Amino acid sequence: MLIAKTIAEARAAVAQLRSERRCIGLVPTMGALHEGHLSLVRAAKAHCDAVVATIFVNPTQFAPGEDFAEYPRTFEADCALLEAEGVDLVFAPEPAEMYPAGTSTVVDVERISGRLDGQSRPGHFRGVATVVAKLFNIVEPIHAFFGQKDATQVAVLRQMVRDLNFNLELVVCPIVREPDGLAMSSRNRYLSPEQRQQALVLSRALRRVEDEIAAGVIDAEPLIDLGLAVLADEPEIRVDYFRIVDPDTLEDVSDVSAGALVAVAAVVGPARLIDNALIPPR
Ligand code: AMP
């Protein structure tokens, strides 16, 4: 497995891979890898002839006061996991390599970047879209793999790929959970055992709402009330939102009959956690 620290090294390695094999799959990450990330790598291995993973804690997607400095960095362990999965190339640049002095272009996916998590984290998705566009230009993958866990990110990047005519397909992989239902996240490392227990209320609220939908309830309002009532069981957490939206536009829907995204975000101790469930059209 090759490790590239510079854009020039990454481009040279990708050119070599492309000359040997046709289809390159890209898995962008911020490191601190867990089974959720590895599920994307495995999907990329299954779809593509060569897999490029990136590890980059992108400073432009963290607002002042967010956890950029504290974000877990476990580079050696991450590389061992990626090598064991058969990844061909890891691109792990420093911030100055991606954003040299004088950088002034950003990718702003208007409107949708301000919805759902974008409403709570202004500017976050400008940072995400900008860095992902740069990674697409550096690696030029045919397929790029992202997790449904970050549903706002998926909607923003789909829109970006359409609008900027990136010649690639986004592949969205299902949420990987701990056996007790907690969605895997690098930020789960911030939780004390007690907070980790409290965090289970997010997936519990989603399951209850999914059960209710399976039982025939389609109106968003009672479903949201139910989700919020379940979340209220854990008074220690601070709910950011519990919403039912269109998965593509992220705008609120009044019922789930055409398919919907049920999404939740809450602050549990030091961590802001997100989770969601995709409801298929009936
Ligand atoms: P991150 O390192 O948090 O930026 O995540 C990198 C990629 O892994 C993103 O596409 C995430 O959506 C995806 N991912 C993170 N957690 C999970 C999970 N529990 N299940 C599936 N994909 C995930």
Side-chain angles (χ1 to χ4, degrees):
M1 185 177 79
L2 287 170
I3 298 176
K5 291 283 195 181
T6 68
I7 294 167
E9 285 164 6
R11 285 218 161 107
V14 168
Q16 181 65 31
L17 290 171
R18 195 171 286 116
S19 71
E20 293 162 3
R21 294 173 253 181
R22 278 171 306 121
C23 158
I24 298 205
L26 173 68
V27 181
T29 82
M30 297 204 299
L33 300 182
H34 50 66
E35 280 294 315
H37 299 110
L38 298 182
S39 75
L40 306 186
V41 170
R42 287 172 200 140
K45 287 289 289 181
H47 269 73
C48 303
D49 305 314
V51 176
V52 180
T54 65
I55 298 176
F56 181 56
V57 185
N58 175 34
T60 67
Q61 69 190 67
F62 289 81
E66 288 189 345
D67 56 344
F68 175 70
E70 298 80 40
Y71 198 84
R73 288 160 171 88
T74 57
F75 185 68
E76 304 295 324
D78 292 347
C79 286
L81 289 169
L82 294 173
E83 182 146 40
E85 295 294 336
V87 165
D88 296 278
L89 169 66
V90 175
F91 176 44
E94 292 298 324
E97 178 72 6
M98 292 296 271
Y99 302 108
T103 298
S104 70
T105 304
V106 295
V107 178
D108 205 344
V109 186
E110 290 182 347
R111 294 184 292 283
I112 197 161
S113 285
R115 294 181 191 144
L116 217 57
D117 291 294
Q119 209 168 337
S120 318
R121 303 184 70 187
H124 171 68
F125 289 105
R126 183 171 50 220
V128 170
T130 301
V131 80
V132 171
K134 287 165 72 71
L135 294 173
F136 286 173
N137 283 329
I138 293 164
V139 176
E140 297 182 67
I142 297 290
H143 298 283
F145 296 80
F146 294 89
Q148 177 57 35
K149 158 96 185 332
D150 295 85
T152 311
Q153 171 169 280
V154 166
V156 168
L157 295 179
R158 277 205 174 114
Q159 184 74 46
M160 180 186 84
V161 165
R162 271 200 301 275
D163 290 350
L164 296 184
N165 309 101
F166 280 106
N167 190 19
L168 55 83
E169 186 196 336
L170 289 192
V171 181
V172 180
C173 301
I175 300 176
V176 177
R177 298 178 179 282
E178 302 285 358
D180 59 11
L182 183 67
M184 289 193 184
S185 164
S186 305
R187 289 189 170 96
N188 291 349
R189 297 174 192 228
Y190 297 154
L191 303 174
S192 69
E194 195 186 1
Q195 290 160 347
R196 200 194 164 291
Q197 205 56 32
Q198 293 163 359
L200 292 176
V201 77
L202 274 73
S203 54
R204 204 157 65 233
L206 292 170
R207 290 302 82 76
R208 285 285 298 281
V209 167
E210 282 186 294
D211 289 348
E212 203 69 0
I213 293 169
V217 178
I218 61 162
D219 286 339
E221 208 176 297
L223 293 169
I224 292 171
D225 288 346
L226 172 64
L228 289 171
V230 176
L231 292 170
D233 289 346
E234 284 293 354
E236 293 295 309
I237 74 162
R238 187 174 63 73
V239 178
D240 181 353
Y241 64 74
F242 189 97
R243 309 261 299 259
I244 303 187
V245 301
D246 178 291
D248 295 318
T249 66
L250 305 181
E251 291 186 296
D252 290 332
V253 294
S254 57
D255 71 64
V256 301
S257 53
L261 175 75
V262 185
V264 59
V267 177
V268 184
R272 181 178 182 278
L273 302 180
I274 56 174
D275 199 351
N276 68 80
L278 264 181
I279 308 300
R282 356 195 97 216

